[in-house]
Amino acid sequence: MRLVYVTLAWAAGILFAANLSAPLPVGWLFATSLALASLALVWRQRPQRSLHILLAALALGGLRFALAPHTSDVAAHNGHALTVEGTVVEAPQQRSDGLQLRVAAETVTYGGRTQATSGIVLVDTPNNQPIAFGDHVRATGDQFQPPTYDTFSYADYLARAGIFSLMPNAAVEVVEPNTGFSLSSLLVDLREQARDRIDDALPEPYAGLLTGILIGDESQIAPDIEDAFSRTGASHVIAISGFNMVVVSGIVLAVLKRVKVSDRRAALISIGVVVIYTLFVGASASVVRAAVMSSLWIAGSNILQRRTFVPASLAFAALLMSLINPYVLWDVGFQLSLFATLGITLFTTPLTRWLRQGLAAGLPERWAESITGWLAPTLIVSLAAQVLVLPLIALYFERISFVSLAVNLLILPVQPLILTVGGLATIVALIVPGVGLLGFYAVLPPLAWTIGVVRRFAELPFAEVAVQFHPSWVTLFFVIAIGWAIMQAAQPEWIEAAARFARRSTVRVGAIAAALVLLVLIGLLVAARPDGKLHLWLLEMGHNNAILAQTPGGAQILIDGGHFPSRLLLTLGDHMALNDREIDLVAITEPDDYDYGALPDVLQRYHAGMIVTNGQPSLSRTHDALLEAAGDTPIRALCAGQTITFSDGVEIEVLSPAAPPALGEPMDDSPLVMRLSYGDASFLIPSDASDVAQDVMVEMGDIAPATALILPKHGAARALEDDFLQAVRPQIALLQADPANRIGDPDPDTLAQVEDIPLYRTDVMGALHLWTDGSTMWLLPQAPL
């Protein structure tokens, strides 16, 4: 168990460093040196040594994350049109609209100058020319930072692979084809040949499914088939996992032992085959985890002649992989694979025992044993894996399949046949294509069975249901689950004593637990009470306007909100009390779907006291969905000169539009512009007001100085008129922008206009939280400028 504790401390250090605003290597190096020095001092004192080992592991984990690359040299040129030269470092991915290449940049040409650089650029090109692994290429196009979507951060996903730059629709030419030899080139060529042999032998969708199962290449699986596997909770079938590794290593071990190879030599050869297979299929995080686990099992049972302790093996795999790349802890595939294995380890035995006891209560013991033995490898194992996997699926994919157990019960028994026969057929086809064809025909029935079952169940209306859980609740679940697993393995005396007490005093223990839960809920509600200050958050909702304000008396004001409903709902849950389902005022500054596309979903969860707009009509589907979700909520069009006053002293002055704009008029010329004030502090919220709108407000003479000004139009070129800025005279400037926007915002000239004013930016600092008591204003960014 010591390895488990050390790995948990190491992972905690990585997570702690990741949540710091700036994980400086120097600070973590100092902390690590201090922890190691204290460990050396207490090394002979056994009780204290264990604690200091954990502290050292925590510090080392933080240091490892601080030393990991968080950007690349070539990423410094994001947002510009340029030319990159470099080498294709992975097999090109064929897509419906072209090729996707991972290019290790060597030089970059920008503004007429060529300079050396480094880092990987993900290049998408519509070119149909043959490009191979190892080719030296030249890619020209616009380079951007990867974006973040509603429920998926493409930026974080690529960062785990060391990629911080995208180049879509690039023009690519091969400067020098790859003519050298390497193991990587050989494996890539074999993978492509294996895919070609499968394509030649089988029709779709069977060829795509077999390619996914054997090689881990899911690019050829039709979207409707992939969606059906997802809806039925069977996506793990088309992913390389520990199941594949166990079958591969088991076949190799069986063959070697059959020809009288010693256990030690057979184990070493099998581990070598597992390593080659891992490299062959691409060595993703979940595949490497499965390979490490399989190798430990082979070594433990055949070389060390001892039973592998699964939690320790999992801990070793996680420690090793996060040492190589600390970002692996955020890899969804790695998390699913890790916790599925842990779930199988923890729950298969008790679930099997409960099933046997339940069957024995109504059936003869022999029948109960037989049925249990038949169900254990499929239904019980799937159920055990789902216990810890379902919360992750709900968190990341926001849906849960109700037919997953039934589907897995029907398709899992044929998967070893598909993997074994399909794998052997592919190997033979690479050598003798005609003979391998017989093997492909033999694997066709189980492939058809798998696809048929998945399709039929996916058509059921209740196949999956949409769910949404807050990340903190999922985190709490896993803290409890891991803690329970540790207690089960360690079995300290106090746990046994507590269990005996719980069995003797069930009612008392239940009352105590209920009281603790009640106290926690009361504490959360008390902490969420208004504090007598005006709070304002500039939210991270992409390149859109999204502001949440809370008045001193607790009234909630939502201004726009972007078009990412899941992200907006999560943010509202973070900032509003658990029992608060009332947004007193929703303001839509202009009928731009990107600025208020998330509001229909919000209005289905929260009740709005009033919705205010600039009065401009809209014919979009988003506007229709908004009206339907709003129900009987009053909707008012506001014009310049009107005021909304709250009972706690907060006031909203409307500065624009002068009159409701007509359908078809430019939205930015007449947006809803508001000045939110409390005491002597004020915020001017201009939305996407154009130069025309700003000139009108200046001419009307209604603009009063404001403490804080949000730059209009995300700081775009010519977004800020000098007369408007002079009239507002802000003490601080705020900028709401997406670092991955492809427009080039903010514009350098616009930034130069406010160079003498303190500027706080969401694209650099994360979401901004400002609050004021009416005289003093405070600001808390997520990261320093």
Side-chain angles (χ1 to χ4, degrees), residues 611-781:
I611 300 174
V612 296
T613 73
N614 70 335
Q616 186 169 22
S618 174
L619 301 178
S620 72
R621 293 181 179 179
T622 301
H623 188 263
D624 293 340
L626 176 77
L627 295 179
E628 182 179 353
D632 58 357
T633 301
I635 301 177
R636 301 285 185 265
L638 301 182
C639 294
Q642 293 181 297
T643 302
I644 300 175
T645 304
F646 292 81
S647 59
D648 50 22
V650 171
E651 189 173 80
I652 296 178
E653 305 168 63
V654 180
L655 307 180
S656 172
L663 179 68
E665 290 186 11
M667 291 184 293
D668 295 350
D669 287 351
S670 303
L672 180 62
V673 178
M674 297 173 288
R675 184 175 183 269
L676 178 65
S677 60
Y678 178 57
D680 296 330
S682 58
F683 302 89
L684 186 59
I685 306 170
S687 182
D688 290 332
S690 66
D691 55 345
V692 173
Q694 294 175 44
D695 289 341
V696 169
M697 286 185 281
V698 172
E699 290 174 3
M700 292 174 62
D702 293 333
I703 301 179
T707 311
L709 167 67
I710 301 175
L711 298 186
K713 302 177 76 69
H714 314 288
R718 297 176 297 281
L720 188 60
E721 291 292 294
D722 289 332
D723 291 343
F724 181 77
L725 179 62
Q726 181 61 33
V728 177
R729 297 200 299 276
Q731 298 177 33
I732 62 172
L734 307 172
L735 173 63
Q736 201 165 22
D738 184 359
N741 81 85
R742 299 185 178 184
I743 309 172
D745 296 340
D747 183 75
D749 292 338
T750 302
L751 295 179
Q753 289 179 270
V754 294
E755 61 182 356
D756 295 329
I757 304 171
L759 175 64
Y760 301 90
R761 304 167 48 172
T762 62
D763 59 336
V764 176
M765 312 167 76
L768 300 175
H769 177 200
L770 300 96
W771 67 101
T772 178
D773 59 3
S775 58
T776 304
M777 184 177 292
W778 298 269
L779 184 146
L780 180 64

Side-chain angles (χ1 to χ4, degrees), residues 1 11 51 82 117 221 249 295 302 319 358 390 456 472 506 511 518 532 543 549 605 663 676 715:
M1 287 298 295
L51 176 61
L82 45 80
T117 189
I221 299 177
S249 58
S295 299
N302 294 275
L319 181 64
L390 277 179
R456 296 299 175 269
S472 59
T506 306
L518 183 61
H543 209 54
R605 302 282 191 93
L663 179 68
L676 178 65

Side-chain angles (χ1 to χ4, degrees), residues 250-281:
I251 291 174
V252 175
L253 277 173
V255 171
L256 292 176
K257 290 184 178 181
R258 188 83 174 178
V259 296
K260 308 301 182 183
V261 176
S262 66
D263 288 350
R264 182 181 295 272
R265 187 169 297 175
L268 293 175
I269 294 174
S270 298
I271 292 173
V273 171
V274 167
V275 171
I276 293 174
Y277 183 59
T278 300
L279 297 173
F280 177 71
V281 299

Side-chain angles (χ1 to χ4, degrees), residues 45-119:
Q45 303 173 29
R46 188 165 185 175
Q48 299 182 32
R49 183 173 62 189
S50 298
L51 176 61
H52 283 75
I53 289 175
L54 297 181
L55 291 175
L58 186 140
L60 286 167
L63 178 62
R64 179 63 190 92
F65 182 83
L67 293 174
H70 304 294
T71 186
S72 63
D73 287 346
V74 73
H77 301 283
N78 286 348
H80 301 290
L82 45 80
T83 297
V84 166
E85 281 196 30
T87 304
V88 179
V89 292
E90 285 194 12
Q93 295 292 314
Q94 183 68 52
R95 298 180 178 269
S96 58
D97 56 351
L99 287 177
Q100 187 175 82
L101 313 171
R102 296 195 178 192
V103 178
E106 298 169 8
T107 64
V108 58
T109 302
Y110 168 66
R113 296 177 59 249
T114 299
Q115 62 186 72
T117 189
S118 61

